Amino acid sequence: MPAFEYNFPAIRGIQAGREYYISMCPLRLIPRIFLFDEDELNPELRAQRILNKSRIPEMARYLLANPKDYIFSALTASIDGKVKFDAMGEEKTERTMGRLRVPMNARFIINDGQHRRAAIEAALRENPDLGDETISVVFFMDVGLERSQQMFADLNRHAVRPTKSLGILYDDREEDSIIAKALASKVPVFVGLTELERSSISNRSLKLFTLSGIYSATRTLLNGLELPTVEKKIDLAAEFWTTVSGYVPEWQLAKERKASPAELRRDFIHAHTLALSALARVGNQLLAKNSRAWKSKLKKLDSLDWSRGSSHWDGRAMNAGRLSKKTVNVALCANFIKKHLGMKLTAEEQQLEQDFRREQRGKDKAA
């Protein structure tokens, strides 16, 4: 055993007949002892997906912005080296607690948590005081790193990412989540018709909207508007969506249980998140002018034909008979709504219309 070694307080456990250890590791040690697979290991030994560096700044900001209530789950790591566990004593309970001694020439690689590791490193550069805090680490022994790739596959085999709607529902920190949840309980047509847990709606569901759809559309609606408090944002967004709902009679029928949400999704564009997003783009332009006239502008919505079979949605919302949720389709639908309301298109929107008409003419000739 080399003279110098890492010494971790640890609890010993058994899985599949093999020992593993759980320890608390100071954050300052995390960047020093754990390798980045893609940079420092041969390809055949890599045990993680490629690091998505675009995720790191957001995760680091979360840690820095919430020093009193952030939560990072445990890292899972493999150790390639001759370790020794010194138990506290000979009693049964004492044999599971002790100190894990790891030689400094051992190799550590992360099987699960490489983005957390990178975020910790980035956060420490801005706030070194975080180094005294700890994160739990689960250590598996893997001499030669022969099992690391299989461990990664097994750890992720049954992992299920929560739906976006559920993440919003449980998030009491992010402002946009707070706003979306408030709207789901404040806008009359959203109350009782919003799917709070899933980000898609089944054919048999009695829901018409999703929390994630309200969230993303309202972000667009309020983008760039200077409002002093979250309460003011909620009030304005609620006023907008309540006003819009007054000009979409089918929403009211669904609210009164006089129309089936499933039939509305089958027959109308407005029964899909695509329409909410398009209406939000329109609303953002109206609200940005800081004029109360935006309500009168929306009155023409009651004469808009939202039927999926209407030809004006071809290529905008419908492609080959199927609804498209792409960003360009949202923008094209918003353009059509703006023109119906008598609003001017921006230069960018006018260019999109020209490209759209050119593409449609090409399709007509090909047909």
Side-chain angles (χ1 to χ4, degrees), residues 322-338:
R322 297 179 65 86
L323 195 74
S324 177
K325 302 177 183 177
K326 294 180 180 178
T327 302
V328 66
N329 294 102
V330 172
L332 286 168
C333 289
N335 284 358
F336 182 79
I337 297 171
K338 284 184 177 182

Side-chain angles (χ1 to χ4, degrees), residues 169-189:
L169 181 65
Y170 289 169
D171 188 354
D172 292 321
R173 180 179 289 113
E174 189 196 22
E175 184 176 272
D176 292 330
S177 296
I178 295 170
I179 292 171
K181 288 188 288 185
L183 294 175
S185 62
K186 187 171 185 177
V187 177
V189 77

Side-chain angles (χ1 to χ4, degrees), residues 118-191:
I120 289 169
E121 182 177 22
L124 286 172
R125 286 196 291 266
E126 294 192 37
N127 184 6
D129 290 342
L130 289 171
D132 293 329
E133 301 206 353
T134 61
I135 189 171
S136 55
V137 182
V138 181
F139 290 112
F140 289 92
M141 303 304 105
D142 186 13
V143 177
L145 300 177
E146 296 176 353
R147 299 180 58 241
S148 56
Q149 291 181 340
Q150 185 62 55
M151 287 172 64
F152 172 77
D154 290 346
L155 284 167
N156 288 277
R157 185 180 304 277
H158 303 295
V160 178
R161 185 179 180 84
T163 65
K164 184 175 180 180
S165 285
L166 192 60
I168 295 166
L169 181 65
Y170 289 169
D171 188 354
D172 292 321
R173 180 179 289 113
E174 189 196 22
E175 184 176 272
D176 292 330
S177 296
I178 295 170
I179 292 171
K181 288 188 288 185
L183 294 175
S185 62
K186 187 171 185 177
V187 177
V189 77
F190 290 164
V191 177

Side-chain angles (χ1 to χ4, degrees), residues 295-307:
K295 283 192 175 183
S296 61
K297 279 283 189 181
L298 291 173
K299 288 181 179 179
K300 291 184 179 180
L301 283 176
D302 63 4
S303 61
L304 180 59
D305 184 358
W306 292 97
S307 301

Side-chain angles (χ1 to χ4, degrees), residues 61-71 127 130 133 173:
R61 283 195 299 270
Y62 160 74
L63 201 162
L64 291 165
N66 301 282
K68 299 299 183 181
D69 61 353
Y70 75 89
I71 296 177
N127 184 6
L130 289 171
E133 301 206 353
R173 180 179 289 113

